[in-house]
Amino acid sequence: GGMAFDPDGQLERIELAAPELVARLDALEARVRGLHDSLAALRFPGRWGGPVAFRAGRLPLLARVGAGRCIVTGAYAGHGVALSLRIGRLIAEAIADGTALPEWGQLEATPSA
């Protein structure tokens, strides 16, 4: 429905009754009602919001861990439905064909203590 942040830029502290967020949710509901005639009178019994996972550069995580035997993914920045199909295919190809995972999803090396 659109990202909203509190005055300090913190998504976790946004007030669900804030005018900006209410306007965004109203617009989202109107958009859904406009998708098809059968949705025009659709009632929304509730609204919700919450933090969305982001990484630096807003790129999703898609990497091998644990000596390469485990593949992890996440941080889709609110685009999980769309990205999950593509990332699922990348993971399947990595498992079935040994195809390398894309560089953009790799974990950054953590410095040694």
Side-chain angles (χ1 to χ4, degrees):
M3 299 297 294
F5 297 89
D6 80 337
D8 296 324
Q10 300 298 314
L11 179 63
E12 297 86 3
R13 296 191 314 224
I14 189 72
E15 188 62 42
L16 291 178
E20 175 191 359
L21 186 55
V22 170
R24 287 176 187 240
L25 291 170
D26 287 345
L28 178 61
E29 288 182 10
R31 184 174 146 209
V32 169
R33 285 189 189 99
L35 292 174
H36 191 275
D37 291 343
S38 64
L39 300 174
L42 184 66
R43 291 191 51 212
F44 293 86
R47 293 175 167 185
W48 66 272
V52 177
F54 288 94
R55 283 181 72 206
R58 297 189 180 216
L59 292 172
L61 170 66
L62 177 57
R64 289 185 177 272
V65 296
R69 295 188 48 87
C70 179
I71 297 174
V72 296
T73 187
Y76 295 171
H79 301 285
V81 174
L83 283 177
S84 64
L85 298 173
R86 175 66 178 141
I87 289 178
R89 182 177 184 136
L90 292 171
I91 291 170
E93 290 170 353
I95 293 169
D97 304 329
T99 305
L101 294 173
E103 288 294 320
W104 52 256
Q106 299 303 307
L107 288 167
E108 296 174 14
T110 55
S112 301

